[in-house]
């Protein structure tokens, strides 16, 4: 497995196929392996590059907590240092955050050919009032100025942790992480990318699973509305990993898009 080094950070990546370069970016908590079945199909027309982003797969975590911009800087350097010239892109979930950031940067979009974002993250989620109630209740219970006795504070927090909405506060994902990746997670999920959308002039195809519950369809619709040259296609009977749930349909759409003229 080749290794790319960026400012001392080692990034393992897979490379397969021949033809025009295609950069494939995985989602949060995933790695290059999940993209491999689709890459194997697309490698007939493209040279596929699939990095394990820092902190995932075989790539070690960064020394300090990274933001989406840090991952974006890495991605742009990867493209330029490997001389990929104008590369097509297929980005899933967290990879979609990276691409929205890059496409909004002046000049950076010139590095890209055709872009597909599937199940892309980064839009502010819709929340029920009960979510905010429990979120701010947790903050109040932890507030140092309140000085609640431990015998009162801890049972209250335990009750919050046992409620279904606790997971929706991000605590479930956060608790699974260790070390610097906890700080990275906070930086990533705390930044909403709606301000990037009006700056994007690049053509983007949004492929969304109709039943995506991690990045619900309304988030894809919001990106389509905010990006001038974005088109949204939904895939029935597919969730957040539409390229795994409906691999043949996803592949056919991707191949047709990548082979079409601009």
């Amino acid at each position: 497995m080749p290794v790319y080094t960026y400012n001392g950070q080692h990034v393992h990546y897979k490379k397969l196929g021949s033809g025009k370069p295609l950069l494939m970016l995985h989602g949060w908590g995933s790695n290059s392996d999940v993209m491999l079945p689709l890459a194997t199909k697309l490698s007939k027309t493209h040279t596929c590059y699939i990095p394990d982003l820092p902190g995932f797969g075989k790539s070690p975590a960064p020394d300090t907590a990274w933001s989406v911009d840090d991952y974006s800087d890495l991605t742009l350097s990867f493209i330029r240092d490997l001389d990929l010239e104008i590369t097509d892109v297929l980005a899933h979930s967290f990879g979609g955050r990276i691409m929205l950031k890059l496409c909004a940067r002046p000049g950076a979009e010139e590095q890209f050919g055709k872009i597909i974002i599937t199940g892309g993250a980064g839009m502010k989620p819709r929340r029920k009032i009960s979510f905010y109630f429990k979120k701010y209740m947790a903050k109040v219970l932890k507030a140092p100025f309140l000085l609640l006795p431990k015998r009162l504070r801890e049972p209250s927090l335990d009750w919050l942790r046992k409620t279904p909405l606790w997971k929706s506060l991000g605590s479930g994902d956060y608790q699974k992480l260790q070390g610097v990746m906890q700080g990275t997670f906070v930086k990533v999920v705390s930044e909403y990318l709606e301000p990037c959308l009006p700056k994007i002039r690049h053509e983007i195809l949004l492929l969304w699973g109709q039943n995506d519950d991690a990045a619900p369809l309304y988030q894809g619709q919001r990106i389509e509305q905010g990006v001038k040259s974005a088109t949204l296609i939904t895939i029935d009977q597919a969730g957040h990993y539409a390229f795994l749930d409906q691999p043949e349909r996803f592949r056919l759409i991707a191949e047709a898009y990548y082979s079409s003229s601009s």
Side-chain angles (χ1 to χ4, degrees), residues 1 12-14 24 26 30-37 50-53 57:
M1 194 171 182
H12 293 255
Y13 67 96
K14 293 179 174 67
M24 303 180 76
H26 63 76
S30 186
N31 57 60
S32 58
D33 288 343
V34 78
M35 313 295 288
L36 196 54
I50 326 169
D52 281 343
L53 296 169

PDB file of all heavy atoms in Angstrom, residues 1 12-14 24 26 30-37 50-53 57:
ATOM      1  N   MET A   1       0.861  -1.191   0.000  1.00  0.00           N
ATOM      2  CA  MET A   1       0.000   0.000   0.000  1.00  0.00           C
ATOM      3  C   MET A   1       0.895   1.238   0.000  1.00  0.00           C
ATOM      4  O   MET A   1       1.688   1.428   0.929  1.00  0.00           O
ATOM      5  CB  MET A   1      -0.909   0.003   1.232  1.00  0.00           C
ATOM      6  CG  MET A   1      -2.062   0.979   1.172  1.00  0.00           C
ATOM      7  SD  MET A   1      -3.217   0.714   2.542  1.00  0.00           S
ATOM      8  CE  MET A   1      -4.451   1.950   2.175  1.00  0.00           C
ATOM      9  N   HIS A  12      -1.703   6.474   4.044  1.00  0.00           N
ATOM     10  CA  HIS A  12      -1.720   5.266   3.220  1.00  0.00           C
ATOM     11  C   HIS A  12      -2.852   5.379   2.199  1.00  0.00           C
ATOM     12  O   HIS A  12      -3.936   5.891   2.515  1.00  0.00           O
ATOM     13  CB  HIS A  12      -1.926   4.034   4.095  1.00  0.00           C
ATOM     14  CG  HIS A  12      -0.775   3.754   5.013  1.00  0.00           C
ATOM     15  ND1 HIS A  12       0.137   2.749   4.804  1.00  0.00           N
ATOM     16  CD2 HIS A  12      -0.378   4.366   6.168  1.00  0.00           C
ATOM     17  CE1 HIS A  12       1.041   2.744   5.757  1.00  0.00           C
ATOM     18  NE2 HIS A  12       0.756   3.721   6.606  1.00  0.00           N
ATOM     19  N   TYR A  13      -2.603   4.897   1.000  1.00  0.00           N
ATOM     20  CA  TYR A  13      -3.654   4.960  -0.017  1.00  0.00           C
ATOM     21  C   TYR A  13      -3.567   3.766  -0.960  1.00  0.00           C
ATOM     22  O   TYR A  13      -2.511   3.146  -1.120  1.00  0.00           O
ATOM     23  CB  TYR A  13      -3.585   6.273  -0.800  1.00  0.00           C
ATOM     24  CG  TYR A  13      -2.358   6.450  -1.673  1.00  0.00           C
ATOM     25  CD1 TYR A  13      -2.384   6.126  -3.033  1.00  0.00           C
ATOM     26  CD2 TYR A  13      -1.164   6.975  -1.154  1.00  0.00           C
ATOM     27  CE1 TYR A  13      -1.258   6.307  -3.837  1.00  0.00           C
ATOM     28  CE2 TYR A  13      -0.047   7.153  -1.947  1.00  0.00           C
ATOM     29  CZ  TYR A  13      -0.103   6.823  -3.285  1.00  0.00           C
ATOM     30  OH  TYR A  13       1.005   6.996  -4.092  1.00  0.00           O
ATOM     31  N   LYS A  14      -4.689   3.465  -1.578  1.00  0.00           N
ATOM     32  CA  LYS A  14      -4.761   2.413  -2.581  1.00  0.00           C
ATOM     33  C   LYS A  14      -4.770   3.054  -3.970  1.00  0.00           C
ATOM     34  O   LYS A  14      -5.339   4.143  -4.150  1.00  0.00           O
ATOM     35  CB  LYS A  14      -6.020   1.564  -2.391  1.00  0.00           C
ATOM     36  CG  LYS A  14      -6.037   0.746  -1.104  1.00  0.00           C
ATOM     37  CD  LYS A  14      -7.336  -0.043  -0.983  1.00  0.00           C
ATOM     38  CE  LYS A  14      -7.306  -0.985   0.211  1.00  0.00           C
ATOM     39  NZ  LYS A  14      -7.291  -0.275   1.494  1.00  0.00           N
ATOM     40  N   MET A  24     -11.073   9.121  -4.613  1.00  0.00           N
ATOM     41  CA  MET A  24     -12.240   8.637  -3.873  1.00  0.00           C
ATOM     42  C   MET A  24     -12.004   8.887  -2.386  1.00  0.00           C
ATOM     43  O   MET A  24     -11.018   8.421  -1.811  1.00  0.00           O
ATOM     44  CB  MET A  24     -12.458   7.151  -4.162  1.00  0.00           C
ATOM     45  CG  MET A  24     -12.615   6.856  -5.654  1.00  0.00           C
ATOM     46  SD  MET A  24     -12.870   5.101  -6.050  1.00  0.00           S
ATOM     47  CE  MET A  24     -14.579   4.899  -5.567  1.00  0.00           C
ATOM     48  N   HIS A  26     -13.435   8.625   1.496  1.00  0.00           N
ATOM     49  CA  HIS A  26     -14.383   7.890   2.338  1.00  0.00           C
ATOM     50  C   HIS A  26     -15.003   8.795   3.394  1.00  0.00           C
ATOM     51  O   HIS A  26     -14.603   9.949   3.578  1.00  0.00           O
ATOM     52  CB  HIS A  26     -13.684   6.692   2.992  1.00  0.00           C
ATOM     53  CG  HIS A  26     -12.572   7.072   3.930  1.00  0.00           C
ATOM     54  ND1 HIS A  26     -12.798   7.574   5.190  1.00  0.00           N
ATOM     55  CD2 HIS A  26     -11.212   7.017   3.792  1.00  0.00           C
ATOM     56  CE1 HIS A  26     -11.654   7.795   5.806  1.00  0.00           C
ATOM     57  NE2 HIS A  26     -10.663   7.486   4.976  1.00  0.00           N
ATOM     58  N   SER A  30     -14.836   5.455   8.557  1.00  0.00           N
ATOM     59  CA  SER A  30     -14.650   4.446   7.526  1.00  0.00           C
ATOM     60  C   SER A  30     -13.199   4.461   7.063  1.00  0.00           C
ATOM     61  O   SER A  30     -12.325   5.010   7.727  1.00  0.00           O
ATOM     62  CB  SER A  30     -15.613   4.727   6.364  1.00  0.00           C
ATOM     63  OG  SER A  30     -15.559   3.703   5.405  1.00  0.00           O
ATOM     64  N   ASN A  31     -12.929   3.856   5.913  1.00  0.00           N
ATOM     65  CA  ASN A  31     -11.581   3.857   5.350  1.00  0.00           C
ATOM     66  C   ASN A  31     -11.658   3.474   3.875  1.00  0.00           C
ATOM     67  O   ASN A  31     -12.757   3.298   3.331  1.00  0.00           O
ATOM     68  CB  ASN A  31     -10.648   2.917   6.128  1.00  0.00           C
ATOM     69  CG  ASN A  31     -11.174   1.497   6.179  1.00  0.00           C
ATOM     70  OD1 ASN A  31     -11.362   0.851   5.155  1.00  0.00           O
ATOM     71  ND2 ASN A  31     -11.412   1.001   7.386  1.00  0.00           N
ATOM     72  N   SER A  32     -10.514   3.329   3.255  1.00  0.00           N
ATOM     73  CA  SER A  32     -10.481   3.078   1.815  1.00  0.00           C
ATOM     74  C   SER A  32     -11.126   1.753   1.428  1.00  0.00           C
ATOM     75  O   SER A  32     -11.598   1.597   0.305  1.00  0.00           O
ATOM     76  CB  SER A  32      -9.036   3.111   1.317  1.00  0.00           C
ATOM     77  OG  SER A  32      -8.241   2.145   1.992  1.00  0.00           O
ATOM     78  N   ASP A  33     -11.165   0.791   2.356  1.00  0.00           N
ATOM     79  CA  ASP A  33     -11.724  -0.528   2.030  1.00  0.00           C
ATOM     80  C   ASP A  33     -13.179  -0.445   1.582  1.00  0.00           C
ATOM     81  O   ASP A  33     -13.610  -1.199   0.711  1.00  0.00           O
ATOM     82  CB  ASP A  33     -11.621  -1.469   3.234  1.00  0.00           C
ATOM     83  CG  ASP A  33     -10.196  -1.922   3.497  1.00  0.00           C
ATOM     84  OD1 ASP A  33      -9.351  -1.790   2.578  1.00  0.00           O
ATOM     85  OD2 ASP A  33      -9.930  -2.408   4.612  1.00  0.00           O
ATOM     86  N   VAL A  34     -13.943   0.473   2.192  1.00  0.00           N
ATOM     87  CA  VAL A  34     -15.364   0.542   1.873  1.00  0.00           C
ATOM     88  C   VAL A  34     -15.598   1.027   0.444  1.00  0.00           C
ATOM     89  O   VAL A  34     -16.624   0.718  -0.169  1.00  0.00           O
ATOM     90  CB  VAL A  34     -16.108   1.445   2.889  1.00  0.00           C
ATOM     91  CG1 VAL A  34     -15.885   2.923   2.583  1.00  0.00           C
ATOM     92  CG2 VAL A  34     -17.596   1.136   2.906  1.00  0.00           C
ATOM     93  N   MET A  35     -14.637   1.762  -0.102  1.00  0.00           N
ATOM     94  CA  MET A  35     -14.762   2.270  -1.466  1.00  0.00           C
ATOM     95  C   MET A  35     -14.229   1.296  -2.512  1.00  0.00           C
ATOM     96  O   MET A  35     -14.422   1.497  -3.715  1.00  0.00           O
ATOM     97  CB  MET A  35     -13.994   3.601  -1.607  1.00  0.00           C
ATOM     98  CG  MET A  35     -14.234   4.624  -0.521  1.00  0.00           C
ATOM     99  SD  MET A  35     -15.927   5.234  -0.471  1.00  0.00           S
ATOM    100  CE  MET A  35     -15.986   6.256  -1.932  1.00  0.00           C
ATOM    101  N   LEU A  36     -13.560   0.237  -2.041  1.00  0.00           N
ATOM    102  CA  LEU A  36     -12.854  -0.649  -2.954  1.00  0.00           C
ATOM    103  C   LEU A  36     -13.754  -1.389  -3.951  1.00  0.00           C
ATOM    104  O   LEU A  36     -13.396  -1.488  -5.135  1.00  0.00           O
ATOM    105  CB  LEU A  36     -12.011  -1.642  -2.156  1.00  0.00           C
ATOM    106  CG  LEU A  36     -10.920  -2.393  -2.924  1.00  0.00           C
ATOM    107  CD1 LEU A  36      -9.990  -1.419  -3.644  1.00  0.00           C
ATOM    108  CD2 LEU A  36     -10.121  -3.274  -1.972  1.00  0.00           C
ATOM    109  N   PRO A  37     -14.926  -1.919  -3.551  1.00  0.00           N
ATOM    110  CA  PRO A  37     -15.774  -2.595  -4.541  1.00  0.00           C
ATOM    111  C   PRO A  37     -16.165  -1.689  -5.706  1.00  0.00           C
ATOM    112  O   PRO A  37     -16.136  -2.115  -6.871  1.00  0.00           O
ATOM    113  CB  PRO A  37     -16.994  -3.029  -3.720  1.00  0.00           C
ATOM    114  CG  PRO A  37     -16.488  -3.146  -2.326  1.00  0.00           C
ATOM    115  CD  PRO A  37     -15.486  -2.042  -2.180  1.00  0.00           C
ATOM    116  N   ILE A  50      -7.404   6.015  -3.535  1.00  0.00           N
ATOM    117  CA  ILE A  50      -8.303   5.970  -2.376  1.00  0.00           C
ATOM    118  C   ILE A  50      -7.481   6.094  -1.097  1.00  0.00           C
ATOM    119  O   ILE A  50      -6.963   5.102  -0.580  1.00  0.00           O
ATOM    120  CB  ILE A  50      -9.115   4.663  -2.329  1.00  0.00           C
ATOM    121  CG1 ILE A  50      -9.455   4.168  -3.730  1.00  0.00           C
ATOM    122  CG2 ILE A  50     -10.383   4.856  -1.512  1.00  0.00           C
ATOM    123  CD1 ILE A  50     -10.025   2.770  -3.744  1.00  0.00           C
ATOM    124  N   PRO A  51      -7.331   7.285  -0.559  1.00  0.00           N
ATOM    125  CA  PRO A  51      -6.542   7.440   0.671  1.00  0.00           C
ATOM    126  C   PRO A  51      -7.319   7.045   1.924  1.00  0.00           C
ATOM    127  O   PRO A  51      -8.547   7.176   1.981  1.00  0.00           O
ATOM    128  CB  PRO A  51      -6.222   8.941   0.686  1.00  0.00           C
ATOM    129  CG  PRO A  51      -7.351   9.564  -0.060  1.00  0.00           C
ATOM    130  CD  PRO A  51      -7.781   8.576  -1.105  1.00  0.00           C
ATOM    131  N   ASP A  52      -6.595   6.514   2.900  1.00  0.00           N
ATOM    132  CA  ASP A  52      -7.104   6.431   4.262  1.00  0.00           C
ATOM    133  C   ASP A  52      -6.831   7.791   4.886  1.00  0.00           C
ATOM    134  O   ASP A  52      -5.664   8.138   5.144  1.00  0.00           O
ATOM    135  CB  ASP A  52      -6.368   5.353   5.056  1.00  0.00           C
ATOM    136  CG  ASP A  52      -6.866   3.946   4.754  1.00  0.00           C
ATOM    137  OD1 ASP A  52      -7.961   3.805   4.194  1.00  0.00           O
ATOM    138  OD2 ASP A  52      -6.126   2.992   5.070  1.00  0.00           O
ATOM    139  N   LEU A  53      -7.864   8.572   5.106  1.00  0.00           N
ATOM    140  CA  LEU A  53      -7.662   9.896   5.689  1.00  0.00           C
ATOM    141  C   LEU A  53      -7.053   9.770   7.091  1.00  0.00           C
ATOM    142  O   LEU A  53      -7.286   8.768   7.786  1.00  0.00           O
ATOM    143  CB  LEU A  53      -8.989  10.650   5.736  1.00  0.00           C
ATOM    144  CG  LEU A  53      -9.607  10.954   4.363  1.00  0.00           C
ATOM    145  CD1 LEU A  53     -11.037  11.464   4.513  1.00  0.00           C
ATOM    146  CD2 LEU A  53      -8.762  11.966   3.600  1.00  0.00           C
ATOM    147  N   GLY A  57      -8.444   3.915   9.031  1.00  0.00           N
ATOM    148  CA  GLY A  57      -7.750   2.864   8.304  1.00  0.00           C
ATOM    149  C   GLY A  57      -6.320   2.715   8.801  1.00  0.00           C
ATOM    150  O   GLY A  57      -6.052   2.679  10.004  1.00  0.00           O
TER     151      GLY A  57
END
